[in-house]
Amino acid sequence: MNTLTINNLNLTYKNGFQAINDISLKIETGMFGLLGSNGAGKSSLMKTIVGLQKPSSGTIIFNGINVSENPGHIKQNLGFLPQDFGVYPKISAYDLLQHIALLKGISNHSERKDQILNLLEKVNLSDFRNKEVHTFSGGMKQRFGVAQALLGNPKIIIVDEPTAGLDPEERNRFNSLLNEISNDVIVILSTHLVEDVRNLCSEVAIINQGKLLTKGKPSELIAGLKNKIWSKPIEKNQLENYQSNYRMISQQLIERELYITVFSEQRLPDFTPVHPSLEHVYFNTLTPKP
């Protein structure tokens, strides 16, 4: 079992901006969702975890070793799949993995070859190992990204907005691959897409403006909203009035009709009760309390 423990983590940049505000988390082997809008502090937290920047205060402990004092420890055990995985033109999948493996310190030729071939098989790219990576589809590039992240047998993998731009079939294939990997290592899925977290993660944390707003198992967070989510269609000119009188957590057009969703612990007779979802948890968490 791998364990990442974050205790009272703070990060303030030289300009005075506080990117991380007293975050504490415990993450174990499996898939962990870090959910938040763009600019919420996800990237700052990820960079601090992997040792690219030092926290102002607090500690990060990975498998019993302080990462801030020993950044090399987590880097030796880290796989990273960024949102935009850039590749060299005119180089095959096999040769690019060979290059990355050498950079990761896998010096033994036969060990390197075996690992690369096994990973290409794992991500279903064996038949394309001699094809130039820049010609791959979006989904193939993401699966190649997983292969390079797994080089060196990491114990923690950080995945940043992985399914942006993928079609539904590629997205499902990619998510299945992530789910399989998380049986053996920590996978931190950093995203603003609630659906990916709901499908994949057994634990989730929602952050905003550098603060941890809530954390827990998605099923338990959803259960906490039972009989508290309500919806109804309204006219557009009524929106301001409803915003003033109800705790509105979202609004959306359905077949050109405007529907609002509100949170209320009391029954609302002119509203329809809604089965809560993780999306409702997310919006309700981000909505300022009255």
Side-chain angles (χ1 to χ4, degrees):
M1 176 72 74
N2 299 295
T3 305
L4 178 73
T5 306
I6 301 167
N7 293 312
N8 305 113
L9 198 70
N10 289 280
L11 175 67
T12 303
Y13 292 121
K14 289 181 179 178
N15 63 4
F17 176 73
Q18 189 166 10
I20 303 173
N21 190 339
D22 197 34
I23 287 181
S24 295
L25 287 169
K26 185 175 182 181
I27 303 172
E28 297 181 327
T29 296
M31 186 85 75
F32 185 91
L34 187 65
L35 195 53
S37 59
N38 293 328
K42 301 190 302 295
S43 293
S44 293
L45 181 57
M46 295 300 96
K47 288 177 183 176
T48 308
I49 288 172
V50 303
L52 292 176
Q53 52 193 15
K54 205 162 185 179
S56 306
S57 63
T59 58
I60 302 171
I61 310 293
F62 179 61
N63 288 351
I65 295 178
N66 190 315
V67 171
S68 300
E69 296 173 358
N70 302 278
H73 171 65
I74 198 164
K75 288 176 183 175
Q76 290 167 3
N77 292 284
L78 176 72
F80 180 56
L81 177 57
Q83 181 175 358
D84 297 309
F85 185 75
V87 295
Y88 299 109
K90 307 294 182 185
I91 186 167
S92 70
Y94 183 90
D95 288 344
L96 185 50
L97 286 177
Q98 175 105 281
H99 175 67
I100 295 169
L102 285 167
L103 292 176
K104 285 194 173 187
I106 307 171
S107 55
N108 183 283
H109 176 75
S110 60
E111 179 190 343
R112 191 168 62 244
K113 180 180 179 180
D114 288 347
Q115 198 172 137
I116 290 170
L117 291 176
N118 286 336
L119 286 173
L120 285 169
E121 181 74 29
K122 189 181 189 78
V123 301
N124 200 25
L125 289 176
S126 289
D127 292 344
F128 303 94
R129 62 182 178 273
N130 296 318
K131 189 174 179 182
E132 295 173 4
V133 179
H134 76 98
T135 66
F136 283 4
S137 69
M140 291 169 69
K141 280 182 181 174
Q142 287 296 73
R143 283 185 279 132
F144 177 86
V146 170
Q148 66 79 30
L150 288 171
L151 281 167
N153 300 312
K155 295 176 181 174
I156 179 169
I157 296 174
I158 292 175
V159 187
D160 187 15
E161 302 286 0
T163 60
L166 299 188
D167 66 38
E169 185 179 350
E170 288 177 327
R171 185 175 177 179
N172 288 338
R173 187 184 298 127
F174 183 77
N175 283 345
S176 295
L177 178 59
L178 283 185
N179 185 56
E180 180 187 341
I181 292 164
S182 68
N183 290 327
D184 305 310
V185 302
I186 292 173
V187 178
I188 300 178
L189 177 64
S190 174
T191 185
H192 69 280
L193 297 174
V194 179
E195 186 178 350
D196 283 349
V197 172
R198 184 183 66 217
N199 292 341
L200 293 170
C201 301
S202 53
E203 294 279 340
V204 62
I206 299 174
I207 69 170
N208 191 44
Q209 297 179 339
K211 295 180 181 178
L212 175 64
L213 301 184
T214 191
K215 61 183 176 180
K217 297 183 182 300
S219 58
E220 293 174 358
L221 294 174
I222 291 168
L225 290 183
K226 189 176 181 181
N227 300 323
K228 297 176 183 177
I229 302 297
W230 312 84
S231 179
K232 73 173 295 186
I234 65 167
E235 298 296 327
K236 191 175 180 181
N237 59 12
Q238 298 176 300
L239 182 60
E240 193 173 326
N241 179 53
Y242 278 97
Q243 286 174 325
S244 300
N245 291 291
Y246 295 90
R247 178 176 158 75
M248 189 183 304
I249 62 172
S250 67
Q251 53 180 289
Q252 65 179 138
L253 287 169
I254 300 175
E255 295 181 1
R256 302 183 67 185
E257 194 167 18
L258 179 61
Y259 279 76
I260 59 169
T261 303
V262 304
F263 171 91
S264 174
E265 298 196 13
Q266 309 299 321
R267 180 169 179 81
L268 300 177
D270 54 338
F271 283 74
T272 301
V274 177
H275 288 294
S277 66
L278 189 60
E279 194 167 81
H280 294 131
V281 172
Y282 179 61
F283 287 131
N284 186 55
T285 301
L286 293 182
T287 302
K289 304 294 186 287

